[in-house]
Amino acid sequence: MSPLAFVVALLAAVAVMLAFRALMGPQQRGTDLLEARLAQFSASGRTITNLSEIEISLPFFERAIRPIFDKLGKLTTTRMPAQSQQALQDKLNLAGRPLGLTVGGFQALRIMSLAVFAGGFYGLAILLSLQGTQMLLALIFGAVIGMLLPLSMLSRAARKREKEIARSLPSALDLLTISVEAGLGFDAAIERVTDKYKNPLTAEFNQFLNETHLGRPRSEALEDMGRRTHSKPFNTFVQ
């Protein structure tokens, strides 16, 4: 590998790390693009009858590129145990479903990260004139980092969001209780909470409201919201 090729591989590795940082960092708002569209439609007072109108309003990447990316990811999950898939999906949910990633999409992202880091470490080994076993170890080390880094960042984002939900719950419950005692209905009280606070907890409340507006039974939407958060205090509230 030439020095130029190594520089390209190194820049690609940095790009992957920045992409993961963007996925798990400040851009994470607890809602994916579909939820954002739902929120926009609800705020404008438009009646939502189905998802077709929302789907055609999504960017080209979401409508055309992401499905292909997800299909490629599904190839990596065909031999993945159902329990492991569910555990990964729960972690994605808890992290706020960054950019709407599915289990397959996240696995495809891990494979891309593996290829980039393995290539980068291989190029570094060539520049350092490593040979034989050392060259192989550098390649394996890069591949392991590439596979584990996305999972590590996802776990970190999930833990951070779980803490934020637990921290936001007391204030939200106080306002919810006051609103109900003042005569508001449950959904109206939830809307008042989401208007006052902007955090991962109210993002979950927003998704609950959007799902019920689309006709999903309230009990099912509440139970699903409790499963997504993995927070004992929040699950107690849901029950």
Side-chain angles (χ1 to χ4, degrees), residues 20-238:
F20 283 124
R21 188 178 183 86
L23 285 174
M24 310 306 175
Q27 290 183 356
Q28 177 194 317
R29 300 174 183 269
T31 56
D32 56 25
L33 288 175
L34 177 58
E35 291 165 15
R37 296 291 180 179
L38 285 168
Q40 291 173 7
F41 280 27
S42 299
S44 64
R46 300 172 63 182
T47 301
I48 302 173
T49 57
N50 55 63
L51 295 178
S52 299
E53 186 176 4
I54 301 173
E55 184 178 355
I56 62 176
S57 68
L58 292 174
F60 175 78
F61 175 83
E62 296 297 323
R63 289 184 286 110
I65 306 301
R66 183 181 295 280
I68 298 175
F69 186 72
D70 288 340
K71 287 179 181 179
L72 292 176
K74 286 181 180 179
L75 297 177
T76 69
T77 61
T78 53
R79 296 182 179 274
M80 190 176 179
Q83 186 175 0
S84 299
Q85 291 189 42
Q86 186 59 51
L88 181 54
Q89 182 63 62
D90 290 343
K91 188 166 291 188
L92 286 167
N93 290 339
L94 186 56
R97 300 166 304 281
L99 295 186
L101 281 175
T102 62
V103 172
F106 183 75
Q107 290 295 90
L109 204 59
R110 292 181 72 190
I111 291 177
M112 182 182 71
S113 175
L114 180 154
V116 169
F117 277 92
F121 274 82
Y122 182 75
L124 181 61
I126 292 177
L127 287 182
L128 295 176
S129 301
L130 301 181
Q131 295 181 354
T133 303
Q134 292 178 327
M135 177 77 73
L136 180 60
L137 288 176
L139 184 62
I140 294 175
F141 186 68
V144 170
I145 290 180
M147 281 296 288
L148 295 182
L149 180 63
L151 197 57
S152 174
M153 299 189 73
L154 179 65
S155 298
R156 180 181 176 184
R159 289 194 300 270
K160 179 181 177 181
R161 191 169 183 271
E162 185 177 10
K163 291 179 180 178
E164 290 177 352
I165 289 176
R167 215 168 27 237
S168 305
L169 188 58
S171 298
L173 289 183
D174 286 343
L175 180 57
L176 185 63
T177 301
I178 293 172
S179 300
V180 171
E181 290 177 348
L184 292 180
F186 181 71
D187 289 356
I190 291 289
E191 288 182 3
R192 184 173 181 181
V193 173
T194 59
D195 288 340
K196 182 174 178 59
Y197 301 111
K198 301 300 178 184
N199 51 52
L201 176 62
T202 55
E204 294 293 342
F205 282 156
N206 267 323
Q207 181 169 346
F208 160 76
L209 291 173
N210 290 331
E211 289 177 353
T212 55
H213 290 164
L214 285 170
R216 189 178 188 187
R218 181 183 295 169
S219 60
E220 290 184 9
L222 279 171
E223 289 176 1
D224 194 33
M225 183 170 60
R227 283 193 296 268
R228 286 196 304 269
T229 60
H230 284 203
S231 171
K232 289 183 179 181
F234 190 72
N235 276 310
T236 300
F237 158 74
V238 167

